[in-house]
Amino acid sequence: MTRLPIEGTPWAELEPELRAAGENDVAWRDGRSPAFVHFAGDDVLEVAKKAYLMYFSENGLGLRAFHSLARFESEVVAMGLGLLHGGEGSRGAMTTGGTESIFLAVKAARDHARAANRGGAGVPQIVLPYSAHPAFDKAAYFLGLETVRVPLAADFKANPAAMAAAITPSTVMVVGSAPAYPHGVMDPIAAIAAHAASAGVWMHVDACVGGYFAPFAQKLGREVEAFDFSVPGVRSISADLHKYGYAAKGASTLFFADPESFSHMAWKFDNWPRGQYMTNTLVGTRAGGAIASAWAVMNYLGEEGYLRITERVLATRQAIEDGVSRLGMHTLGRPELSIVAFGSERHDIGAVGQGLQKRGWLTGYVTDPPGIHLMLNLTHEPVVGRYLEDMAAAVAEAGSGPAAKLQAVY
Ligand SMILES: Cc1ncc(COP(=O)(O)O)c(C=O)c1O
């Protein structure tokens, strides 16, 4: 069993050990990882790292001490709200990731319903599409709510009418994804929000993936479902900076349409001997580096930089869709952004995945229907040709006929 060493080890020995430990990790720089990393070029990475290190020791819990971080956070929030058509009264804060943003949105919706005496005596419920991220169920588990997952429409998007039918007096939140992670498709946010508004229920848009990607795809003239505060009825939006904001990990944003909704994000306490304690976040201490890095990358790239990267990621997705269809497989639904999943009626997709895995591509899957899943970034751009060649070989090896049910691990 490993124990804390009695004596310390010099950095000169630790550094090579750290490097060697990563040798068997997925070669993400070579585009071998289907998710987990969002690379936007070495220059962007350099900016993110340098800014992180400059504020490595500072703590986002102590904004009274670190005016720098307070300024960075408020400017990041303002930039995010600008992209997502926030209004005069819109507010927000940074969190450490998508899961925390969703957790806090659920907490805010629950507390808003409590304050408004909505929800009755039953367990408060969240109505969400089958494709929504598990973070909602995690939040519901911790916060004492229930989730009601509603089947999707045939195009893998949320089904607004079925969601409306699932709303009850206990519903405190309705969710749409922009896009949903499994198939990468945008839910019909306007239709869902209209039902939520007419029932007087909080509508949350999970734009953890699309929040810093979809606005640029829209500006590039792509057809992308409206999903932000321009849609009436949308009350909160989660948008991750450590995905397509290209910031260091540990950075997301949670936005609210108005100050009353935002007021439920915070938690306050003073029954202890150290005075009033108040945080907007679930966590206490926050990495100053993650806040500084988000600020630096947003300013480094600017709209023009994000547009350039977004265009390249969209072209990569198109090249994969084209290549996959040449091999007799098909894209699942109509993805509008950076995620693509594809399946096949002719080939055993599980066997195709294993063939790719054998050739060094860590393979991600969707299970329903069976398919292969990619969340794209610039590491994938130069290897599309190689990926498709290996896929052709994997398809040739794979048996025909539909895949057995896939047992996929995230
Ligand atoms: C749509 C969506 N929401 C939320 C999350 C959770 O984000 P995180 O892993 O940063 O907690 C993800 C992660 O992939 C996601 O795809």
Side-chain angles (χ1 to χ4, degrees), residues 118-208:
R118 198 196 144 81
V123 178
Q125 292 179 336
I126 307 171
V127 170
L128 73 178
Y130 173 45
S131 53
H133 195 271
F136 290 97
D137 291 75
K138 191 189 253 187
Y141 174 79
F142 283 112
L143 291 165
L145 279 71
E146 275 173 6
T147 57
V148 180
R149 285 191 174 246
V150 178
L152 305 176
D155 55 4
F156 306 112
K157 291 180 179 242
N159 179 339
M163 290 185 66
I167 297 174
T168 70
S170 296
T171 308
V172 298
M173 178 186 256
V174 174
V175 173
S177 308
Y181 188 67
H183 311 100
V185 298
M186 299 282 283
D187 285 332
I189 301 299
I192 303 170
H195 288 303
S198 72
V201 179
W202 185 299
M203 167 83 191
H204 179 77
V205 175
D206 178 10
C208 281

Side-chain angles (χ1 to χ4, degrees), residues 1-314:
M1 195 175 63
T2 305
R3 286 173 180 269
L4 181 69
I6 303 291
E7 285 176 15
T9 308
W11 173 245
E13 287 173 41
L14 294 174
E15 190 181 15
E17 189 173 340
L18 283 162
R19 207 176 301 286
E23 270 164 18
N24 292 326
D25 286 356
V26 64
W28 65 264
R29 276 189 171 275
D30 303 333
R32 298 283 172 162
S33 187
F36 310 123
V37 173
H38 296 80
F39 178 72
D42 280 312
D43 59 328
V44 183
L45 191 55
E46 198 60 21
V47 169
K49 284 183 180 176
K50 281 186 170 156
Y52 196 104
L53 288 181
M54 282 177 76
Y55 285 87
F56 184 88
S57 300
E58 283 72 7
N59 186 342
L61 174 63
L63 297 183
R64 207 162 58 85
F66 305 113
H67 303 284
S68 52
L69 297 181
R71 180 190 142 202
F72 299 151
E73 179 170 9
S74 76
E75 291 185 10
V76 164
V77 165
M79 288 188 272
L81 281 171
L83 287 172
L84 299 172
H85 298 104
E88 268 301 293
S90 300
R91 299 281 185 277
M94 285 184 71
T95 72
T96 57
T99 299
E100 190 187 5
S101 289
I102 288 169
F103 183 97
L104 291 165
V106 170
K107 179 239 183 255
R110 183 198 66 177
D111 290 357
H112 167 81
R114 272 185 191 162
N117 247 339
R118 198 196 144 81
V123 178
Q125 292 179 336
I126 307 171
V127 170
L128 73 178
Y130 173 45
S131 53
H133 195 271
F136 290 97
D137 291 75
K138 191 189 253 187
Y141 174 79
F142 283 112
L143 291 165
L145 279 71
E146 275 173 6
T147 57
V148 180
R149 285 191 174 246
V150 178
L152 305 176
D155 55 4
F156 306 112
K157 291 180 179 242
N159 179 339
M163 290 185 66
I167 297 174
T168 70
S170 296
T171 308
V172 298
M173 178 186 256
V174 174
V175 173
S177 308
Y181 188 67
H183 311 100
V185 298
M186 299 282 283
D187 285 332
I189 301 299
I192 303 170
H195 288 303
S198 72
V201 179
W202 185 299
M203 167 83 191
H204 179 77
V205 175
D206 178 10
C208 281
V209 170
Y212 294 97
F213 192 96
F216 303 110
Q218 287 170 333
K219 281 181 207 279
L220 287 166
R222 305 304 171 100
E223 218 179 283
V224 178
E225 188 96 39
F227 71 99
D228 60 18
F229 290 121
S230 61
V231 177
V234 171
R235 204 152 182 153
S236 56
I237 302 177
S238 46
D240 289 354
L241 292 156
H242 63 200
K243 293 189 172 78
Y244 293 98
Y246 305 114
K249 287 182 185 58
S252 172
T253 34
L254 177 59
F255 301 112
F256 297 86
D258 56 80
E260 191 275 334
S261 303
F262 177 55
S263 71
H264 298 292
M265 181 178 180
W267 186 78
K268 299 186 188 76
F269 183 80
D270 72 358
N271 184 22
W272 75 321
R274 184 58 169 84
Q276 201 187 84
Y277 181 95
M278 199 283 282
T279 54
N280 280 325
T281 46
L282 171 64
V283 300
T285 288
R286 292 190 293 161
I291 298 169
S293 142
W295 181 91
V297 171
M298 289 173 103
N299 282 291
Y300 175 73
L301 284 173
E303 177 174 311
E304 191 264 333
Y306 280 108
L307 285 172
R308 248 183 304 116
I309 298 164
T310 303
E311 189 155 40
R312 289 169 60 187
V313 175
L314 288 169

